[in-house]
Each structure stands twice: as structure tokens, then as C-alpha cells.
Amino acid sequence: MPGKLKVKIVAGRHLPVMDRASDLTDAFVEVKFGNTTFKTDVYLKSLNPQWNSEWFKFEVDDEDLQDEPLQITVLDHDTYSANDAIGKVYIDIDPLLYSEAATVISGWFPIYDTIHGIRGEINVVVKVDLFNDLNRFRQSSCGVKFFCTTSIPKCYRAVIIHGFVEELVVNEDPEYQWIDRIRTPRASNEARQRLISLMSGELQRKIGLKVLEMRGNAVVGYLQCFDLEGESGLVVRAIGTACTLDKLSSPAAFLPACNSPSKEMKEIPFNEDPNPNTHSSGPSTPLKNQTYSFSPSKSYSRQSSSSDTDLSLTPKTGMGSGSAGKEGGPFKALLRQQTQSALEQREFPFFTLTAFPPGFLVHVGGVVSARSVKLLDRIHNPDEPETRDAWWAEIRQEIKSHAKALGCHAVVGYSESTSICEEVCILSASGTAAVLNPRFLQDGTVEGCLEQRLEENLSTRCGFCHIPYDELNMPFPAHLTYCYNCRKQKVPDVLFTTIDLPTDATVIGKGCLIQARLCRLKKKAQAEANATAISNLLPFMEYEVHTQLMNKLKLKGMNALFGLRIQITVGENMLMGLASATGVYLAALPTPGGIQIAGKTPNDGSYEQHISHMQKKINDTIAKNKELYEINPPEISEEIIGSPIPEPRQRSRLLRSQSESSDEVTELDLSHGKKDAFVLEIDDTDAMEDVHSLLTDVPPPSGFYSCNTEIMPGINNWTSEIQMFTSVRVIRLSSLNLTNQALNKNFNDLCENLLKSLYFKLRSMIPCCLCHVNFTVSLPEDELIQVTVTAVAITFDKNQALQTTKTPVEKSLQRASTDNEELLQFPLELCSDSLHSHPFPPVKEHLESASSNSGIPAAQRAVTVEKASPVGDGNFRNRSAPPCANSTVGVVKMTPLSFIPGAKITKYLGIINMFFIRETTSLREEGGVSGFLHAFIAEVFAMVRAHVAALGGNAVVSYIMKQCVFMENPNKNQAQCLINVSGDAVVFVRESDLEVVSSQQPTTNCQSSCTEGEVTT
Amino acid sequence: MTSELDIFVGNTTLIDEDVYRLWLDGYSVTDAVALRVRSGILEQTGATAAVLQSDTMDHYRTFHMLERLLHAPPKLLHQLIFQIPPSRQALLIERYYAFDEAFVREVLGKKLSKGTKKDLDDISTKTGITLKSCRRQFDNFKRVFKVVEEMRGSLVDNIQQHFLLSDRLARDYAAIVFFANNRFETGKKKLQYLSFGDFAFCAELMIQNWTLGAVDSQMDDMDMDLDKEFLQDLKELKVLVADKDLLDLHKSLVCTALRGKLGVFSEMEANFKNLSRGLVNVAAKLTHNKDVRDLFVDLVEKFVEPCRSDHWPLSDVRFFLNQYSASVHSLDGFRLECGGTIWAHCNLHLPGSSNSPASAFQVAGTTSVHHHAQQFFLYFQ
């Protein structure tokens, strides 16, 4: 009986009129958790009832605490007939289960009904008393923190990054149960909402267990999705990266709630290096970032047989011997060996992170992706997760082998997705093959001193571009040159990745959003034939998407893509491909060649003229783009670089494969094997269209930039104004003789117009940048294309625009100043505070020793710590509270980014993961499909904000709308929509406030480790 | 390719002031787009007409959703669905409740009933304001009226509290509500020269001095209704014109005081009895609802028009009315006899040297002896 949940219903307001006669409502509330239900008194005749109930107490297992949502139902009392439901509130109490997050949930929640939307609000207070559990439970995993953020959260420090965790649960979809025929749509929707909530809770708990097994304490980059498979079930699956995180500023509040004795038992002192500073004695060459040392490989072969759990028992890397040699080849082999050993113990060396601690990422190989077409009606045992588990395992295995082929042992920026149409399902996974620094992957190896880290910062700025594979034994033909930065290592001519641009990378000019859009018609078919048709189309689509991306990248005069996300959507009669990425010019990579057009029929004079005209247009566009994005790389004479390596050229780092139910794996060589300039052959109208479409992409209006990564490369001076938005468009295609070209044009126009609309809408924010632009395509019906975009517009200061060619150190400090600062300050914290019951004592020792070296003036500490002081909060409260004296609504910011410009995140309050269904049978009355969906999305935002505010937060970071399934039936005047959103609730403090406070109150920091940070007054 | 669905939802609700104005003015989306195109926005931003259309539709949808909340502005502050900065909230409310002078002049003093609402078509044609906008304004008047009708305390405060309007707008609404409640006739041709501002000014003074709330703040009624007792007392003013001696005495007092100060002294002297009779009769009749409604018509007929025909300057009218009411107090018999007195005087005056016709409307009132005699001078242009 490890937990007591206490709930108090305070009041309601703005309730709907339920009694037409009196224009009032006799409301009461049912509070349900698990199988226990409490009721408040009926508050007669009021639209603003004041229940002020007693504390309802639920004594529950912590397993239930994790799985179950708290369900609050507001009803209208009716003496003679059944009580009418007004609406419900589901509260996920998970954030209350870890000690350093929220301590209380208290605030106004919108009362939500799946048919009527939001109907008034209810004020609720929720608390949890967790008892110390002495028996080792292994069914619950309270205390493991979850983050949607795909980087190490801002006020934490990664001690160890353990690796990939995944889980999948399946249930029957209530919408497809027999009972659905006799129950109301409301009951059906609520059953679904509740089920998904339960399943997410279960999933999170199971993943938490895995994390505890790996001896981590957090999941970062947690991505949960659900697949509506229809008849065959409802799948909720999640992936994430298990980590051991250290809280930076408030050490007292660090421990997970369920810190187990068994864990402590495992903390056997590591076989530590007696001399942590030896690394400096080795000749650390400036061109090598790998200044750490490694031990002979045989110690690893021994270790690789051991399981995950006793990882810490085996002696780790013996530090201090040897150093990186100048020879790339043997060194790489050794490095690989070491990393390999660290990763091979893991089934899948995948990381869902897209941004990493400095020094973590050593080399990047390229994008790896795998797709598989499956038939859902072939699942033997639909209610069990085995079949799906096997599917995903198969795909992950493929990804792993692709990564290996690229000479990499890890995949970063990893993500998975599905597209379902009737009984056909495309499973996709993609990521970036990479070589990682093993230091972060193992226990007890954090002795990398701070100085070293900084030094590495300097040397890694081009390191990640260097090829991880052996140049003599390349997995595919590639065009290699010496790195333009260090001139010592080989780099490819183009780099595609799914991760964010590393903070220390040197970029010339600004970046821009690059999209490839593609449609392919397919015949309507059934089952096996359909799956085969799709499988056959997939490689062509990937090839074309890739070609388009490459052309557009060249046209922009850039040489690398970050944040690449290729989405293939399947519909009844077509396939859609949409790839988005942010193009940049990496200083380390060679200047991209131009695009040349070649005609097939050179004898025709006018045709020739036409070709040359096109060529001129293309050249002009490239020149214009270079100017627009300020790409002016320094001229380098060929002699310095040395002659290019005479090898077949290669444009692609993309390895892909797809497989149908039969495990056949095809590999596609996407290289074009052409000369320096990219040649486009115009041999038919299709190709002509392609060239035209290349040129029709309109650049954003002046003052606007856009990218799909966290931050815009080349812009650093963000101001604090942000505007997150979601835009949805659905177009109906005219069904008359659709061709691929017409389809492509429609789709292209749809996306371009959508972007244009966004630029127009946000024109008041100029100069600004649309960041994290996330396009999602779905095909809800035969002739409908739905595009959903979520992004954030951030203003920046044009006048203070910093030189884009400044040194990388400065630059990295600019963006990641918070991290660095905190990294530097952390050791001092530990020194001064007697850290009680730290789960990883060896880590602490290392840090202490490190801190003695760092020699940072103690005064600096105040800057990070005072954010927890009550004064800071007070200030913040003043600021965020609207001047309207009687308003009770605090401002909650939402952003898909992991940070808030001009502000510092002081506390993570827990994950927000919400699922809503809205249905209407009066579509016309609600303003048609647009009115319906507009209202629903606004309501979803409102509910997210209300939950965050109730947790005491004032922002949601890493917000993502993972699903927006919209179905309509205008003839029946009906529509239904499902939305799934998630993010991290946080408390942030404006940097300007911090400065004021720190000057006033430098001393009162340490004792106040826990603050409420309430927005509401 | 047709767009089935096209929406944009921001975490902070985007409000475009120009589109809001077009929406309030009752333009359809098509008209609004046309107007926006004409404003040259396409050239400024490089957008296309389709983008503009989509943007306008989107804003209209947002406004449509907000309208429900704007009907009860405090709800807008407390609602959670739209995150709008407070300054924007204030702007939304203020603009929503703003009205057209031309429109309000048409409905001022009319009963805010369904019948009047049916006539909005005519008003729309007459004023050139779209029917939609007329309806919104009319519904606003009606809504405010309904909410504050039965409320105690200061009318302006009540309106401000329940509709979160600015002080100025709340005062205007108080006047509209007051006029609607007392059904003062303002539509007659004779009154056309008076602006809404003129009436609002009168309303404010009447609320302050003639209503129950003005008599005694402890009284549990509000500012809307005229104080019946006070109107009853006004009857006793009749003695001023009925008693020949008193009338003469009053006249001589006024004339003595104003001799030499008035440009139109001779006309005043000649007309004194008529003017006095007119004023007192208007005041004395106010016990009848019908006559209350005609208050302004009567004042113009009985007082303003004679003055105007004699070309009284504005300042002279003021002097006269001041003196007229002040002198009453020195009438011994009157003071003893009457529990209270009121002077309601109107005066219109025509231009001085400049061409702009200036009108002065003066109401002087003395309330019961329990209260200090008060005088008010109001000027409107």
C-alpha cells in the first residue's frame, strides 16, 4: 500500500445550463480512481458551484498510481431521470510521483466532453503521499523521470547515457468492440480516451522498469505513439533513451522516490583509474577529438558476454594509457572497438536524442532508414504484442546492420513511425549512423576533466563530419575530400543527418528549410497484392525524394542536411512522400557543385536554347540563394586541400531498405555517379516538370527564415517573443483523370501555400524564424490530403545580428551557455553540500576531484542556484500575471523546442501526454469542418495549458502534436477527430529577472531547493 | 483542388486589428478580402489573394468563437480556451462595444425590444451601416440594459464592472440605458440637431441629480429611474407662473441682475414671462410618463426655439438661466412654501462671430431643501 492519493474538489465555474426551466444547473462531482468512487454534495442551482469538498482519499498501489488516471466527472443532478454528465477531466498524476517534480496539482481544469467540447471549468487539488516501500517491488517504476525533450534537459547533467528503451502494448480498440453498436458515441469515445490513458500509463511504467534495470533514473527523448489498427487493435508504443541524470542546482531534491536498497548494493566501487590526469600526458593532437584513452580490446570481449545489469560490476575502461595516434585508420579501428564494446551489450545501440552533450558525438556516418510493409489482418494473435514486437525488432535489426555498414556502431536521432490504411501498414524507422564517445555510455568513466571538455569542443568542430568508415573499404562509392577545416581527415561532399546541428559545428551563412514532396498513384488492391504494389513503389519514392532533396540542397548552395525526416504515407489509391530537413553550409565540407542540365536531343536548336535558358535560371537561383543565406565560404586554393581523391562520386549517405512480409531486403544505391556538377537530364516532360518545380519553390519573404531543427543555424540573437501554432489543411483532389504530375503539383501547391499563409499570418513578428517546422501528411480518404504543421515562430534581433563566422567556441557558448555554465558549476555544488544518499557515489567523487581542478570563482554559483529562491519566483509571478487584477488565468507558453529563448528553465515538472477525442453530430452548426477542428485544437491547447498551470508550471517545451486524425462525413453532418499531444511541463524564469534577483539575493539560495512557481495567483 | 479545411491555431490567439474592425463593421468575408486588397496589403507583404482569403476566414472564425465570450466580457478574462494578452482582451472588448454615432442617434430613447430590432433594416439603409453591425450594436445595448436594469448602485460602475468597458464608453452606455429606460423622445425632427454627445451629457446630469440614486445613496434603487417624489415636487414650481406677484418679483430680480450684462436684454425682458412659463410648465408636467418622454421636445419648443428666434448668444443664455434659478432662492414666499424646486432650462443659441452653430443646453436644477441647490452648466458643441 505504498501511496495515498488525496483529492479535493473546490469549485466550478462557467458551467453550462443543464436545466432549461431555471437556466441553472444542480452540479455534483464524481471522483474516480481505479475502482473507487467518491461523490461531492449536489450544489443546487448554480453555474458557479462551490463544493469545497472534504479530502477524498484513495489508498492505492503505486502500480495503479502509475497506470490509472484520476477521473473527475461533473454531473447535473436530476431527481427523476438519470443524471446528465456535463463533462470529465482526466488528470495524470504521474508528475506527483517523483519527488523533485510537482508536489501538488492545483488549479482550474477545463471540463471536457467529447461531444460538446469544453463546458466550464473545475478547481481541483490533488496530492500524493508516497510511503517508503521496503519490499522490492518491480512492477512499478515510480521515480523514473520522463522527458520528451530530445537532448539532455537543461537543468540536468548526463552522468551516463544508457541507451535505447522501447515498449509496446496492445489492446482491443473500444470503437471496434461489439458493444460499440449499442452504446452512445460519448460512451465509446470516453472508453477510448480512458483506455489510451491507461495504456500510456502502463507503457510508461514498463519502460520505467527497464530503465531501473539498466540502473538509469530517467528517459530522455521519450516518444510515445499510438496506432489505430482498426479491427486488429489499438497499439501504444514508445521509444526513448535511458539515462542517469544529475540535477544541477538543487542536489537535495535529486533522488528518485523509489531509490532502492538493492541499487545501493550494486554500487561496488569501480576499478578506478588511480591517476585521472594521465590523459594530458599523451600527445593530444589538435585534430583529434579523441584525446581520451582506451584499454586493450580483450577486456571488452570478456565484458561483452555480460548482461546489462552487471555492467557496473565489470571493470571499466582503464584510463590513462596511450593516446590517439595521428593515423586515422588504426585509431578508428581501436575507437570503434571500444565504442563497440560499450554498445554491443545493448541489443539496439539507438539513441532518440538529437542533440548531445559536448564531445558525445564523434563521427556521423549518414542517414539510415528501413521500411517494412505489413498486413494487419495477418496477425495471428491480435491482442498480444508479440507480432508487432517482432516486426519492430526486424526493422531495428536492419537499421543496426545499415549503421554497421557505414562503420558506425550507434544510431542517433532515431525515430519510428507508422502509416496505416485499411489493413496495410508501413512501419518506418530512421536515424543517423554515428560513432559515439564511449565515455558517456559507461559508468565510472566521467573523469574527463572540464578543461579537456573545452579542448574537445575546439577540436570536435569538424570531427563529426569526418567519415567513420574506412575509406579503402567503403560501403558505397563516395566522393571524399580532405576536411576543409582541419585538412587532415576525409569528409564526404554531402552529409545527411536526422539530428540537430551540433552546437560546435562551424556553419557558414544561415540555414533554410528544404522539403521534398512526392505523390505516386497506385491501383486500389486488396491484401497481398496491395502490399506488394506498395513495396514495389517504395524504393522509387525514396529515390526520388532523395534526388529532390539533393537538387534543392544544391540549388540553395548548401552541403548538409540536418533534422531530416522522411514520411511516407499510404492511402487507398496513392502514396505520399514528404521529406523535411534544414539545409546548411558546413565549413568542413566541400563547396557543392552546381546543377547542370543536359538535353537528350541536342540537334534541335530551339530546344538547346531552352536548355541554356533553364541553365541560366538555375545558376541565377543558386547565386541568389547564396546571397540570401549569406553563404560566402572563404576561397581555398586547390593546392592546400590536395587533389581530390580519384574515386567514384557519391551523393548519398542514405542506406535504405524495405521488406515485405517475406524478409527480402533490397539495398538501393542512391549514388548518381556523375561528375562534379550535378547533371539533370531532361529527356521527357517529367524531367521538365521536375526542373520547373525546383525553380518554383519560393523563398520566404524577407525577414523570415524557417528550419525544422531546434534552432536556426546562423541566428543566435533570439528575443523572447514566441508563438507556437498548429495549422491544418485538407484539400480535395478532383478525381478526374489524376496523373502523377497533377498530383505532385497539387501537393506542392498545398505545402507552398500553407507556408505562404504562415508567413503572412506571422508578419507582425518580423524579423523572425519559424523553428521546428513539423509537417505531417495523412490521407484520410480517397481524394483528401491532410497536411498538419506545428512550429514555433521566434523573433530575433536583426540589429545585433552576430557575425556568422565567429569562432565556434563563442558560438557554442552562445547557444549552450546554460549547459556549460551549469556543467561548470555543478562540481562546486557537490563540494559544499554534503550529498546524502547519492545513488552513484563514485560519480560524485570524480566530480569532486574534477571540481578541485576547475577553479571557478564561487561567486558564479549564485547565478544558477538563485533561480530556486522564492524571490525569483515572486518576480516571475508578477511578470506573468496579467495586469488585469481579477484575471486568474496565467500565461503558459508552448513550444516544440527544448528551450525558451531569453529564459532559463529552472524545473521540469513532468511529462504531459494527453489524448483527446472530439466528435460532433452538428457539423454545420459548429462552423463546418474548419470551425469544428479550429475549436477542438484551441481546446486541446487550453487543456494542456491548464494542466501545466495546475502543476505550477508556466511553459511546455518539446511540445509535439503526434497525431491528428480527422474524419468527416458531411452528408451525415458528422465529424470526429483524435488528437494526441505531449511535451514537458516546466518552470522558466526570464534571464532578465534572474540578473536582478541574483544581485539582490546572492546568499539565500541553497536552502530553497523546491519551489512552486505558480503562475496563477 | 479545393480547400476543404484550412485552419491556423496559435498558442497565443492572433488578433488582427484591421480584420477585427472589418468583422465588427459587418462585412462578409468576400467584402473584407476585397477591402483588404484595396488597402494594398498584397503589395506590402507579397501575399496572394488566396492567402488573404484564408487569413480573413481564419480571423473571422476566431472572432466568431470569441463573440460568445464577448457577450459577457468577464468570461473572456477567465476563460482558458484563448490565450490573449490582457491589452488585447481590453481592445477586443472595447471595440466590440463601441458603437456608431449615427446608429445610436437612431435608437436613442427607443424601447430595446424586438419591434425596434425589426426596424434595424431601415436604420441600416438610412445610416449606411451594415445590418450585421446594427444588430451587434443593438444587441449590445440590449444586453447591457438587461444586465444593469435591476442592479443597485451607480449605473456607470455597474456597467464597468460587468462589461469591463473604459470609463468613457461606460458613461455612454449609462446614457443609452438611461434614455432607453425613460424612453425619452429624441427622434423628432426638431431634435435632430442634437448629437448623441449632447444627450449623453444631459443623461449624466439627470442621473446625478434627478434619479433615486441621486436623492439618497442609501436608497435601494438605482440610477435608472427618475425620482418620482422629485417630479411630484416640481409641480409646486407652478406657483412661479401662477402667482402674478411672484412672477413679477422674479422677473425684476432677474432683470436687475442681468441689466447691462446681456446682449439681448430687451428681448429677454420682453419674453421673460413666456420663457418662464414655458420652463415651469415643462417641469410641472413631468409627473406624466408621456410628458417625461417628451421632455426634450418640450424644452426645445418652449424655450430653445424662442431664444433661437431672438438670436440669443450662448453666453447670454447661460447668464439668464443662472440668474433665473438663483433668483428663485431669494423669493421669500417661494423658499418657505416649497419643499423643493427645480429648474430645467434649455437654451439654444446661435452663432457668434463664427459660422459654426453652437448650441447650449443648460439644465439648472435645485433639488429638495434637504439638498443643496445645484446648478449645472453644460455645453456641447
Side-chain angles (χ1 to χ4, degrees), chain A residues 13-14 108 110 118 121 723-732 746 756-758 760-761 763 784 882-884 886-894 929-931 933-935 937-938 941-942 945 966 968, chain B residues 1-14 16 18 36 41-42 45-48 50-52 54-56 58-59 61-62 64-65 74-75 77-83 86-87 89 161 164:
Chain A
R13 67 182 182 194
H14 306 151
W108 290 98
I118 290 178
E121 290 122 40
Q723 165 73 292
M724 189 281 297
F725 59 85
T726 292
S727 187
V728 184
R729 269 191 194 192
V730 177
I731 56 159
R732 185 176 290 279
N746 278 333
K756 270 187 218 156
S757 248
L758 297 181
F760 181 75
K761 284 230 173 256
R763 65 192 185 282
L784 293 185
C884 276
N886 48 356
S887 172
T888 54
V889 186
V891 174
V892 176
K893 297 207 171 201
M894 290 166 79
V929 284
S930 295
L933 195 60
H934 191 146
I937 291 178
F941 285 1
R945 287 194 300 256
F966 179 72
E968 57 167 326
Chain B
M1 183 179 95
T2 49
S3 207
E4 284 269 304
L5 185 158
D6 178 8
I7 57 162
F8 175 98
V9 191
N11 183 35
T12 306
T13 308
L14 282 182
D16 187 311
D18 298 334
R36 291 182 84 187
I41 195 160
L42 294 185
T45 57
T48 62
V51 166
L52 202 61
S54 133
D55 179 67
T56 312
D58 210 69
H59 281 300
R61 204 163 40 237
T62 310
H64 187 72
M65 284 191 264
K75 270 194 189 165
L77 258 63
H78 294 294
Q79 54 83 31
L80 302 172
I81 298 179
F82 302 97
Q83 185 159 280
S87 60
Q89 286 179 347
Q161 194 189 332
L164 309 172

Side-chain angles (χ1 to χ4, degrees), chain B residues 210-226:
Chain B
W210 290 18
T211 60
L212 286 170
V215 178
D216 188 347
S217 54
Q218 304 303 310
M219 285 276 281
D220 48 12
D221 210 329
M222 63 303 167
D223 288 347
M224 296 262 282
D225 295 317
L226 294 176

Side-chain angles (χ1 to χ4, degrees), chain A residues 70 114 214 363 366 401 418 496 521 549 571 597 687 782 861 887 896 912 1004:
Chain A
L70 175 68
T114 58
M214 294 165 107
H363 296 309
S401 66
T418 57
F496 282 16
L521 288 168
L549 279 176
I597 292 182
D782 271 16
R861 243 180 86 202
S887 172
I912 296 281
T1004 57

Side-chain angles (χ1 to χ4, degrees), chain A residues 8 471 476 625:
Chain A
K8 186 186 175 104
E471 65 184 77
F476 41 75
N625 280 330

Side-chain angles (χ1 to χ4, degrees), chain A residues 647-920:
Chain A
E647 263 168 330
R649 316 278 151 93
Q650 191 272 323
R651 311 289 147 181
S652 141
R653 300 287 160 274
L654 189 84
L655 267 183
R656 55 144 319 278
S657 75
Q658 54 83 30
S659 61
E660 212 246 299
S661 309
S662 59
D663 275 354
E664 124 244 21
V665 174
T666 57
E667 291 222 350
L668 197 66
D669 177 14
L670 293 169
S671 59
H672 295 267
K674 285 282 155 55
K675 286 124 242 122
D676 197 30
F678 204 54
V679 179
L680 283 182
E681 283 192 354
I682 300 183
D683 42 7
D684 56 10
T685 42
D686 270 23
M688 207 60 140
E689 289 283 331
D690 290 348
V691 176
H692 271 300
S693 72
L694 266 185
L695 294 168
T696 48
D697 268 13
V698 195
S702 72
F704 265 110
Y705 292 94
S706 54
C707 63
N708 77 333
T709 47
E710 283 253 302
I711 53 150
M712 177 68 175
I715 300 177
N716 304 301
N717 41 326
W718 303 109
T719 48
S720 57
E721 200 187 334
I722 62 170
Q723 165 73 292
M724 189 281 297
F725 59 85
T726 292
S727 187
V728 184
R729 269 191 194 192
V730 177
I731 56 159
R732 185 176 290 279
L733 302 161
S734 50
S735 53
L736 295 166
N737 50 35
L738 268 180
T739 58
N740 277 335
Q741 278 92 351
L743 210 55
N744 275 335
K745 191 177 178 311
N746 278 333
F747 185 41
N748 225 1
D749 287 352
L750 171 62
C751 294
E752 284 293 323
N753 288 338
L754 188 48
L755 280 171
K756 270 187 218 156
S757 248
L758 297 181
Y759 295 138
F760 181 75
K761 284 230 173 256
L762 298 163
R763 65 192 185 282
S764 64
M765 290 179 80
I766 286 178
C768 88
C769 177
L770 300 186
C771 294
H772 214 286
V773 179
N774 187 5
F775 273 71
T776 316
V777 186
S778 53
L779 299 163
E781 272 174 56
D782 271 16
E783 275 115 30
L784 293 185
I785 304 176
Q786 179 191 329
V787 176
T788 311
V789 187
T790 299
V792 63
I794 312 181
T795 55
F796 62 91
D797 193 343
K798 205 160 199 171
N799 300 327
Q800 286 169 26
L802 301 166
Q803 280 300 309
T804 46
T805 47
K806 63 205 207 68
T807 70
V809 177
E810 257 180 286
K811 203 176 204 169
S812 72
L813 284 175
Q814 193 79 31
R815 185 211 162 176
S817 59
T818 349
D819 313 70
N820 285 352
E821 194 184 340
E822 280 164 349
L823 277 172
L824 293 174
Q825 285 155 13
F826 179 58
L828 289 168
E829 290 279 343
L830 288 171
C831 293
S832 56
D833 293 290
S834 56
L835 237 196
H836 34 276
S837 62
H838 195 291
F840 301 105
V843 173
K844 183 178 70 183
E845 278 166 36
H846 287 307
L847 286 163
E848 272 171 347
S849 69
S851 71
S852 60
N853 295 342
S854 62
I856 287 149
Q860 269 195 27
R861 243 180 86 202
V863 186
T864 24
V865 196
E866 57 53 57
K867 66 199 165 194
S869 78
V871 182
D873 258 15
N875 258 28
F876 148 70
R877 201 173 286 142
N878 287 345
R879 179 165 284 244
S880 57
C884 276
N886 48 356
S887 172
T888 54
V889 186
V891 174
V892 176
K893 297 207 171 201
M894 290 166 79
T895 170
L897 310 177
S898 65
F899 67 101
I900 292 166
K904 192 165 207 169
I905 293 169
T906 57
K907 198 175 177 189
Y908 281 80
L909 299 166
I911 197 167
I912 296 281
N913 189 2
M914 298 166 97
F915 172 77
F916 298 103
I917 301 177
R918 180 87 153 76
E919 189 167 344
T920 185

Side-chain angles (χ1 to χ4, degrees), chain A residues 621-633:
Chain A
T621 313
I622 294 178
K624 220 166 63 197
N625 280 330
K626 278 191 173 170
E627 196 179 321
L628 181 65
Y629 299 108
E630 297 161 28
I631 300 168
N632 36 13

